Amino acid sequence: MVATSRRTASPADRVEALLLGLAFVFLGLACLALTLAPAVRPGGSVAGTAGFAHWSVLPVWLLAVGASRAVMRRRLSQRDPVLYPVAMLLAGWGVLLIWRLTPGFGIRQLAWLGLSTIALSGLMLLPRRLGWLRSYRYLWLGLGLLLTALTLVFGTHPSGGSPRLWLGCCGVYFQPSEMLRLLLVVFFASYLADRIQFGWRRDRPSLVATLAPLLAVWGLSTLLVLAQRDLGSGMMLLALLTALLYLASGRWEVILVSLLLGAVGAGAAAATSSVVGLRLAAWVNPWQDPLGGSYQIVQSLIALASGGVLGSGPGLGAPGFVPVAHSDFIFASIAEEWGLGGAVGLLALMAIFVGRGLRIGAGSPDPFHQMLAGGLAVNLGLQAMFILAGVLRVLPLTGITLPYVSYGGTSLLSSFLSLGLLLVMSNGAAGVVHPRRTFERVFFGFQAAFLVLAMAAGYWMVIRAPAILRRTDNLRRAVEERYSQRGRILDRNGVVLADSEGLPGGFARQYPAAAAANVVGFDSPSYGLMGMEQSMDGVLRGEEGARLLELMQSQALYGYPPPGADVRLTLDLALQTEATSALLGQQGAIVVLDPATGDVLAMASSPSFNPSTLEADWAGMLANPGAPLLNRAVQSSYQPGTAFAPWMVAWAIEHRDARLGQIMSDIEAPFSLNGLELTCARPALGASLGQALQAGCPAPLAALGRQMGGQSVEAAGLALAGEGTPIDRSGDPGTPEAMEMTEALSVGQGWLTLTPIAMARAWAATVGGPLPPVRVVDAVSDAHGNWLAWPFEQEQQPVFSPETARLMSRTLTQTGDAGPSFSGVAIAGADQGRVAWYLARAGDDSAPVVAVVLEQSDLESAEQVGGRVVRAVRRLASP
């Protein structure tokens, strides 16, 4: 009997059986992947019966296929062979996705799948000419409107919230707006078929005649859904009506009028509804309010980015971080766990389904079947496009379901009834020989739209993915780092500054060296990343520097990157601790730099924080006016004031604009700026430029600036601040105002601001040699624990000749000191007090340089702090 059945099966039936077999294999492999997912996690295992409950989807799916195909083979032997397999694949995939996210909803969706296939089978037993639909169109329309209107009075929400779009109780709910669209398609198709039979296409009616009879029906339907705040359905009805009118009349004006109506309606809705306003704002710029009105769309974009090309694997992602992931955002769940291939595959299935439906309508000789098949295909296609475009941020979010896939019993039932009607109309159809141009245009329009959506998915999942995944509100990072051990951060001597301790599934970040907090930063599930934890995140997470095969293998098996690499810094923890202690009670920064290599040996900032108590201290740190999270060594710019003098004088000597022995007048005169005065740091021992420099006097610097000229002084400042520094050059160089600007710049004021790290480099070049680079990362470990030098592109930049540097070093070395030093003060502003600087080299030409800056302080305090650090450098350097 089986052999006979196979011999008598039609070619279409065999194609359908093959496609269903492939769908079953796909669903079986998906079930297997979901079962094994807990076991492949480090330290995980299959969770008993809970790991197999979703397997119940397969027998129910097989039973539904067998029962419905038995009816189809008897009643519709010449049906379309592709529609049913595509729909069943999407429906089965959807149930598995929902089960994986929320098992309780998965059981309900599976029950709705069984009910929907029963309804499908019953529909195919009815008369195949569908006269019962066409003749009673007003009855079907009235029933749909009545049920939708009842929700205004008896409406409820399954979760107890709003909007109240459902009817029902006791755990069984029905959403009339889903069925309303199906019944409206029937009404529109019947109405338009009558007009076509009376020569509508031949006579080409006026635009008013085309639109007027249907605007009242559309307006009444739209008012009902708008009253329920179901705005997605309102936009769907307008788009559906537009497509059907175009299919029937071929008039482009219909599309233009509908676009205008849609724009006016959207503007009015945005002005009167806070919900619409929030959705439009979230569409235009979701990054502006990522924790508020845009939270859902931002989290869905993060889910898309997390999927990438390969996906995290079924059951291995974290799509539950997206609100309503089982319904409105189920596409984001697919993209995260199945990757770009899964996302594009779903789009392709939707495009195939819509294309086959339009093909059925185009090939039907009956006008009613033409309009009905075209309307059903367009309805499902628009529904898919609206929600997918919202998730991909191509259009504002509408909040409707993805046909056959999203959670929603009424939506699934309506989709299967649409499938049944398409299968009935496809039975015995002659096929498309010379299709109407309107059907062709709509077909290509949908294919182009799905292609755009696929490109948008690639944009978010590949091109924008790296930037999105680095966001601090990416909650998946915390989950991944509990299973995949993050690399350590060490000082130059191998002392641990940050480590992840525990076992797989319970790794937690530890920070044993609070003194290095402003450099190391933190990695917090609540507050994101900062410092080296942020800049070296890819290496520490095992996503950069790892072998490509190892990374792909880990992502494929576990959904996580491999264990991260260790990072060794140039910091010396002992010296960093000394510098941090020296700053206690002060507000400022210290940098200790090796001029030969550019290694940053210490980089302290005060006030600072303790990353081990970040959660408890966070609110207090944000309220602290001292900004403890700010790394002043590299993130704060200060005016150098008279601390600019060594660089300024060296520049003048190098460019033959001055000599140390030249005599300066009024050497100890104060320099006034905005009502405040700068004076000498100590009494001058003579009247030469060199003696004025040793005393830190500002007036001779202003005179030197006038002597050098504005362009030369500006060049000296730009050599430190960078060529991109904005400067006001609008005035005439010869005016008194321009001369005042030159004098201000000569004493380190005006537009010139520098970070402490820049001042340390400038000091190293002034008294030692080339302008050194800045290195904070020394090396990273490979898979075997070997240290690999971290690539570094900066080079030493010669600024002054060795003769000039030696001259400056001798001039600024005080009697009894091992190396040169200099103190200077700057005017920060009338309300901000003064900034004190201390610069020193802790020994001979190869010794580290020290730069100290203190806010609202004096030279004596800066010299005390700097002297303590210099002594620590010498002590730690001695054998």
Side-chain angles (χ1 to χ4, degrees), residues 52 173 176 218 309-310 414 419 426 579 583 611-612 615 622 666 678 699 702 740 745 756 834 872:
F52 299 95
Y173 299 95
W218 169 78
V309 176
L310 300 177
S414 173
L419 170 65
S426 71
L583 278 176
S612 297
E615 304 286 335
L622 294 183
D666 299 326
L678 288 174
E740 288 180 4
L745 180 59
R834 297 173 183 255

Side-chain angles (χ1 to χ4, degrees), residues 589 605 630-638 754-757 837 855:
S605 177
L630 181 69
N631 185 356
R632 287 171 162 79
V634 292
Q635 294 176 317
S636 293
S637 292
Y638 304 89
L754 299 171
T755 62
I757 195 77
W837 289 91
E855 302 172 14

Side-chain angles (χ1 to χ4, degrees), residues 607-698:
S608 188
F609 63 96
N610 187 346
S612 297
T613 59
L614 191 70
E615 304 286 335
D617 299 342
W618 186 260
M621 288 191 296
L622 294 183
N624 188 339
L629 293 175
L630 181 69
N631 185 356
R632 287 171 162 79
V634 292
Q635 294 176 317
S636 293
S637 292
Y638 304 89
Q639 298 203 288
T642 55
F644 181 57
W647 180 274
M648 174 76 171
V649 172
W651 188 274
I653 294 173
E654 184 72 19
H655 293 82
R656 304 181 186 280
D657 291 329
R659 295 177 295 103
L660 286 179
Q662 73 180 67
I663 301 302
M664 310 297 293
S665 60
D666 299 326
I667 192 169
E668 292 187 345
F671 179 83
S672 297
L673 181 69
N674 299 327
L676 299 175
E677 289 186 345
L678 288 174
T679 60
C680 297
R682 56 186 57 83
L685 300 178
S688 69
L689 177 59
Q691 290 166 327
L693 176 63
Q694 291 171 340
C697 295

Side-chain angles (χ1 to χ4, degrees), residues 25 183 329 484 585 599 630 637 695 847 867 877:
V25 171
L183 296 174
F329 286 86
S484 180
D599 289 356
L630 181 69
S637 292

Side-chain angles (χ1 to χ4, degrees), residues 393-407:
R393 206 185 146 218
V394 176
L395 293 175
L397 191 64
T398 54
I400 57 181
T401 56
L402 182 61
Y404 299 106
V405 183
S406 293
Y407 174 74

Side-chain angles (χ1 to χ4, degrees), residues 722-744:
E723 292 296 332
T725 305
I727 305 173
D728 182 9
R729 298 188 177 95
S730 58
D732 187 342
T735 61
E737 291 80 9
M739 186 58 67
E740 288 180 4
M741 291 179 60
T742 297
E743 292 179 353

